[in-house]
Amino acid sequence: MKNLVESSRFKINLLLIMMTIFCFSLSAFRYYISDTKVFLFLNWNLFLAWIPLLLSSFILAFNIKSKTSLILIVIVWILFFPNSPYILTDLFHLRARNEIPIWYDLIVILSYAWTGLICGFISLHDIEKRLSDYMNRNIISGLVVLFLFMSSFGVYLGRFLRWNSWDILNNPFGLFSDIVVRFIYPMEYTKTWGVTLLMGVLLNFMYFTFKWAGTNDEKELQTENKTFNGLEQF
């Protein structure tokens, strides 16, 4: 039990839960003060952003190694992963309103966006760990880049075409049609590819900064521990 509490994953999950509670408190307070439901939808968006993390945590917690099961879970994970960075685009809703100062609304949206994004990045890192059992590092890095660009395309579908992850079941033919036509006639949908390309680049920069910063911290800590242990033995 002590090892669990002291583990970095436990601390991260606890922090994410605290961040989620903070987000909910901000929106609840806003609703109480203004008696308007303007940003209550962010709670649903954040719930969807948690799903990729729950799926990747399930893979690691139960040590899923069956290739068939892993592929199925990763496919579902891919469908929900765009919900994590999607909340960044909710900044579109930021504007001056009489009942609440704009700075408060900015903090509300940024809090949800940051929490959702971190949920997504941690889940992606989990997927990397599991795939490392089957693939070499270069292939995994390529898949990560692909996942992030696919995610940015999914964000476009959600923000501008108003599709969501559930529509793969509710209206698969309509969703498939909107996707295929953009691949067949790319020059007629420059907005689609502009958003996908630029947001994909941004997400890659953000994710690899998040990943490599954490990796460097772990290496420095290990080096310090080895040095300290060596001095103790000396």
Side-chain angles (χ1 to χ4, degrees), residues 28 30 36 59 88 137 160 194 208-209 222 225 228:
R30 191 191 190 288
T36 59
I59 291 174
L88 290 170
R137 184 178 300 178
F160 296 100
F208 283 102
T209 300
Q222 290 173 0
N225 288 337
F228 181 74

Side-chain angles (χ1 to χ4, degrees), residues 80-117:
F80 283 94
F81 181 60
N83 291 299
S84 296
Y86 176 84
I87 309 179
L88 290 170
T89 66
D90 284 321
L91 284 167
F92 279 133
H93 297 290
L94 182 65
R95 62 176 182 272
R97 293 178 171 87
N98 293 329
E99 64 274 7
I100 295 291
I102 192 171
W103 60 261
Y104 185 88
D105 286 345
L106 176 63
I107 293 173
V108 171
I109 297 174
L110 289 178
S111 298
Y112 277 91
W114 178 253
T115 305
L117 193 64

Side-chain angles (χ1 to χ4, degrees), residues 45-139:
N45 289 353
L46 186 55
F47 166 74
L48 294 176
W50 264 90
I51 293 179
L53 181 57
L54 295 175
L55 289 171
S56 66
S57 297
F58 176 83
I59 291 174
L60 295 183
F62 291 92
N63 198 25
I64 304 296
K65 290 188 176 181
S66 166
K67 289 185 179 180
T68 303
S69 299
L70 185 60
I71 289 172
L72 290 174
I73 296 174
V74 169
I75 289 173
V76 176
W77 175 86
I78 290 172
L79 293 175
F80 283 94
F81 181 60
N83 291 299
S84 296
Y86 176 84
I87 309 179
L88 290 170
T89 66
D90 284 321
L91 284 167
F92 279 133
H93 297 290
L94 182 65
R95 62 176 182 272
R97 293 178 171 87
N98 293 329
E99 64 274 7
I100 295 291
I102 192 171
W103 60 261
Y104 185 88
D105 286 345
L106 176 63
I107 293 173
V108 171
I109 297 174
L110 289 178
S111 298
Y112 277 91
W114 178 253
T115 305
L117 193 64
I118 295 301
C119 284
F121 283 173
I122 293 174
S123 75
L124 179 54
H125 192 55
D126 288 344
I127 297 296
E128 274 196 85
K129 288 181 181 177
R130 178 52 71 222
L131 292 181
S132 66
D133 295 336
Y134 305 94
M135 305 173 186
N136 65 50
R137 184 178 300 178
N138 291 333
I139 294 177

Side-chain angles (χ1 to χ4, degrees), residues 16 19 103 134 157:
L16 282 172
M19 291 165 64
W103 60 261
Y134 305 94
L157 293 176

Side-chain angles (χ1 to χ4, degrees), residues 152-172:
S152 66
F153 183 69
V155 170
Y156 171 83
L157 293 176
R159 171 52 60 192
F160 296 100
L161 301 186
R162 308 310 297 163
W163 293 106
N164 61 63
S165 302
W166 308 106
D167 286 319
I168 193 69
L169 298 176
N170 293 334
N171 188 6

